[in-house]
PDB file of all heavy atoms in Angstrom:
ATOM      1  N   GLU A 535      50.138 -19.833 161.733  1.00  0.00           N
ATOM      2  CA  GLU A 535      50.906 -19.930 162.985  1.00  0.00           C
ATOM      3  C   GLU A 535      51.645 -18.650 163.358  1.00  0.00           C
ATOM      4  O   GLU A 535      52.092 -18.510 164.489  1.00  0.00           O
ATOM      5  CB  GLU A 535      51.927 -21.082 162.902  1.00  0.00           C
ATOM      6  CG  GLU A 535      51.348 -22.470 163.021  1.00  0.00           C
ATOM      7  CD  GLU A 535      50.969 -23.062 161.678  1.00  0.00           C
ATOM      8  OE1 GLU A 535      50.952 -22.307 160.667  1.00  0.00           O
ATOM      9  OE2 GLU A 535      50.669 -24.267 161.639  1.00  0.00           O
ATOM     10  N   ARG A 536      51.834 -17.752 162.414  1.00  0.00           N
ATOM     11  CA  ARG A 536      52.513 -16.484 162.748  1.00  0.00           C
ATOM     12  C   ARG A 536      51.638 -15.610 163.640  1.00  0.00           C
ATOM     13  O   ARG A 536      52.115 -14.685 164.263  1.00  0.00           O
ATOM     14  CB  ARG A 536      52.744 -15.641 161.484  1.00  0.00           C
ATOM     15  CG  ARG A 536      53.742 -16.132 160.525  1.00  0.00           C
ATOM     16  CD  ARG A 536      53.677 -15.273 159.271  1.00  0.00           C
ATOM     17  NE  ARG A 536      54.536 -14.093 159.370  1.00  0.00           N
ATOM     18  CZ  ARG A 536      54.555 -13.114 158.476  1.00  0.00           C
ATOM     19  NH1 ARG A 536      53.751 -13.142 157.432  1.00  0.00           N
ATOM     20  NH2 ARG A 536      55.373 -12.089 158.616  1.00  0.00           N
ATOM     21  N   TRP A 537      50.348 -15.876 163.630  1.00  0.00           N
ATOM     22  CA  TRP A 537      49.400 -14.945 164.227  1.00  0.00           C
ATOM     23  C   TRP A 537      49.064 -15.262 165.679  1.00  0.00           C
ATOM     24  O   TRP A 537      48.934 -16.419 166.061  1.00  0.00           O
ATOM     25  CB  TRP A 537      48.086 -14.946 163.428  1.00  0.00           C
ATOM     26  CG  TRP A 537      48.201 -14.177 162.148  1.00  0.00           C
ATOM     27  CD1 TRP A 537      48.609 -14.665 160.938  1.00  0.00           C
ATOM     28  CD2 TRP A 537      47.913 -12.793 161.960  1.00  0.00           C
ATOM     29  NE1 TRP A 537      48.590 -13.654 159.999  1.00  0.00           N
ATOM     30  CE2 TRP A 537      48.167 -12.497 160.591  1.00  0.00           C
ATOM     31  CE3 TRP A 537      47.460 -11.771 162.795  1.00  0.00           C
ATOM     32  CZ2 TRP A 537      47.986 -11.213 160.056  1.00  0.00           C
ATOM     33  CZ3 TRP A 537      47.276 -10.504 162.270  1.00  0.00           C
ATOM     34  CH2 TRP A 537      47.536 -10.231 160.916  1.00  0.00           C
ATOM     35  N   CYS A 538      48.901 -14.187 166.450  1.00  0.00           N
ATOM     36  CA  CYS A 538      48.330 -14.301 167.793  1.00  0.00           C
ATOM     37  C   CYS A 538      47.138 -13.362 167.862  1.00  0.00           C
ATOM     38  O   CYS A 538      47.295 -12.142 167.689  1.00  0.00           O
ATOM     39  CB  CYS A 538      49.378 -13.925 168.843  1.00  0.00           C
ATOM     40  SG  CYS A 538      48.721 -13.923 170.531  1.00  0.00           S
ATOM     41  N   LEU A 539      45.962 -13.929 168.070  1.00  0.00           N
ATOM     42  CA  LEU A 539      44.733 -13.121 168.166  1.00  0.00           C
ATOM     43  C   LEU A 539      44.465 -12.853 169.644  1.00  0.00           C
ATOM     44  O   LEU A 539      44.045 -13.757 170.380  1.00  0.00           O
ATOM     45  CB  LEU A 539      43.560 -13.855 167.504  1.00  0.00           C
ATOM     46  CG  LEU A 539      43.411 -13.632 165.987  1.00  0.00           C
ATOM     47  CD1 LEU A 539      44.670 -13.960 165.215  1.00  0.00           C
ATOM     48  CD2 LEU A 539      42.232 -14.403 165.435  1.00  0.00           C
ATOM     49  N   VAL A 540      44.732 -11.625 170.048  1.00  0.00           N
ATOM     50  CA  VAL A 540      44.697 -11.295 171.467  1.00  0.00           C
ATOM     51  C   VAL A 540      43.256 -11.032 171.911  1.00  0.00           C
ATOM     52  O   VAL A 540      42.539 -10.268 171.257  1.00  0.00           O
ATOM     53  CB  VAL A 540      45.577 -10.067 171.747  1.00  0.00           C
ATOM     54  CG1 VAL A 540      45.530  -9.715 173.220  1.00  0.00           C
ATOM     55  CG2 VAL A 540      47.007 -10.322 171.301  1.00  0.00           C
ATOM     56  N   HIS A 541      42.881 -11.643 172.998  1.00  0.00           N
ATOM     57  CA  HIS A 541      41.536 -11.654 173.586  1.00  0.00           C
ATOM     58  C   HIS A 541      40.642 -12.664 172.859  1.00  0.00           C
ATOM     59  O   HIS A 541      40.357 -13.710 173.402  1.00  0.00           O
ATOM     60  CB  HIS A 541      40.877 -10.272 173.646  1.00  0.00           C
ATOM     61  CG  HIS A 541      41.707  -9.271 174.402  1.00  0.00           C
ATOM     62  ND1 HIS A 541      42.125  -9.495 175.685  1.00  0.00           N
ATOM     63  CD2 HIS A 541      42.235  -8.061 174.027  1.00  0.00           C
ATOM     64  CE1 HIS A 541      42.857  -8.462 176.093  1.00  0.00           C
ATOM     65  NE2 HIS A 541      42.946  -7.594 175.120  1.00  0.00           N
ATOM     66  N   ALA A 542      40.242 -12.331 171.612  1.00  0.00           N
ATOM     67  CA  ALA A 542      39.335 -13.231 170.877  1.00  0.00           C
ATOM     68  C   ALA A 542      38.235 -13.738 171.810  1.00  0.00           C
ATOM     69  O   ALA A 542      37.808 -14.899 171.744  1.00  0.00           O
ATOM     70  CB  ALA A 542      40.118 -14.402 170.262  1.00  0.00           C
ATOM     71  N   THR A 543      37.748 -12.837 172.660  1.00  0.00           N
ATOM     72  CA  THR A 543      36.813 -13.225 173.713  1.00  0.00           C
ATOM     73  C   THR A 543      35.468 -13.697 173.155  1.00  0.00           C
ATOM     74  O   THR A 543      34.912 -14.692 173.615  1.00  0.00           O
ATOM     75  CB  THR A 543      36.570 -12.029 174.654  1.00  0.00           C
ATOM     76  OG1 THR A 543      37.841 -11.535 175.068  1.00  0.00           O
ATOM     77  CG2 THR A 543      35.738 -12.416 175.851  1.00  0.00           C
ATOM     78  N   HIS A 544      34.986 -12.921 172.182  1.00  0.00           N
ATOM     79  CA  HIS A 544      33.615 -13.171 171.713  1.00  0.00           C
ATOM     80  C   HIS A 544      33.658 -13.920 170.377  1.00  0.00           C
ATOM     81  O   HIS A 544      33.814 -13.315 169.316  1.00  0.00           O
ATOM     82  CB  HIS A 544      32.850 -11.852 171.615  1.00  0.00           C
ATOM     83  CG  HIS A 544      32.747 -11.168 172.954  1.00  0.00           C
ATOM     84  ND1 HIS A 544      31.900 -11.613 173.948  1.00  0.00           N
ATOM     85  CD2 HIS A 544      33.441 -10.132 173.490  1.00  0.00           C
ATOM     86  CE1 HIS A 544      32.047 -10.858 175.027  1.00  0.00           C
ATOM     87  NE2 HIS A 544      32.980  -9.957 174.775  1.00  0.00           N
ATOM     88  N   LEU A 545      33.536 -15.230 170.470  1.00  0.00           N
ATOM     89  CA  LEU A 545      33.601 -16.100 169.288  1.00  0.00           C
ATOM     90  C   LEU A 545      32.318 -16.915 169.201  1.00  0.00           C
ATOM     91  O   LEU A 545      31.827 -17.390 170.222  1.00  0.00           O
ATOM     92  CB  LEU A 545      34.765 -17.091 169.409  1.00  0.00           C
ATOM     93  CG  LEU A 545      36.179 -16.556 169.569  1.00  0.00           C
ATOM     94  CD1 LEU A 545      37.163 -17.717 169.675  1.00  0.00           C
ATOM     95  CD2 LEU A 545      36.554 -15.658 168.403  1.00  0.00           C
ATOM     96  N   ASN A 546      31.817 -17.092 167.976  1.00  0.00           N
ATOM     97  CA  ASN A 546      30.742 -18.090 167.833  1.00  0.00           C
ATOM     98  C   ASN A 546      31.374 -19.452 167.504  1.00  0.00           C
ATOM     99  O   ASN A 546      32.608 -19.556 167.385  1.00  0.00           O
ATOM    100  CB  ASN A 546      29.705 -17.647 166.791  1.00  0.00           C
ATOM    101  CG  ASN A 546      30.294 -17.553 165.390  1.00  0.00           C
ATOM    102  OD1 ASN A 546      31.332 -18.143 165.110  1.00  0.00           O
ATOM    103  ND2 ASN A 546      29.629 -16.807 164.518  1.00  0.00           N
ATOM    104  N   ASP A 547      30.563 -20.476 167.372  1.00  0.00           N
ATOM    105  CA  ASP A 547      31.104 -21.838 167.209  1.00  0.00           C
ATOM    106  C   ASP A 547      31.961 -21.963 165.949  1.00  0.00           C
ATOM    107  O   ASP A 547      33.009 -22.613 165.959  1.00  0.00           O
ATOM    108  CB  ASP A 547      29.967 -22.875 167.160  1.00  0.00           C
ATOM    109  CG  ASP A 547      29.294 -23.009 168.518  1.00  0.00           C
ATOM    110  OD1 ASP A 547      29.895 -22.574 169.519  1.00  0.00           O
ATOM    111  OD2 ASP A 547      28.158 -23.527 168.566  1.00  0.00           O
TER     112      ASP A 547
END
Side-chain angles (χ1 to χ4, degrees):
E535 285 91 348
R536 290 172 88 187
W537 283 88
C538 176
L539 274 55
V540 179
H541 303 305
T543 308
H544 299 286
L545 301 180
N546 64 20
D547 291 343

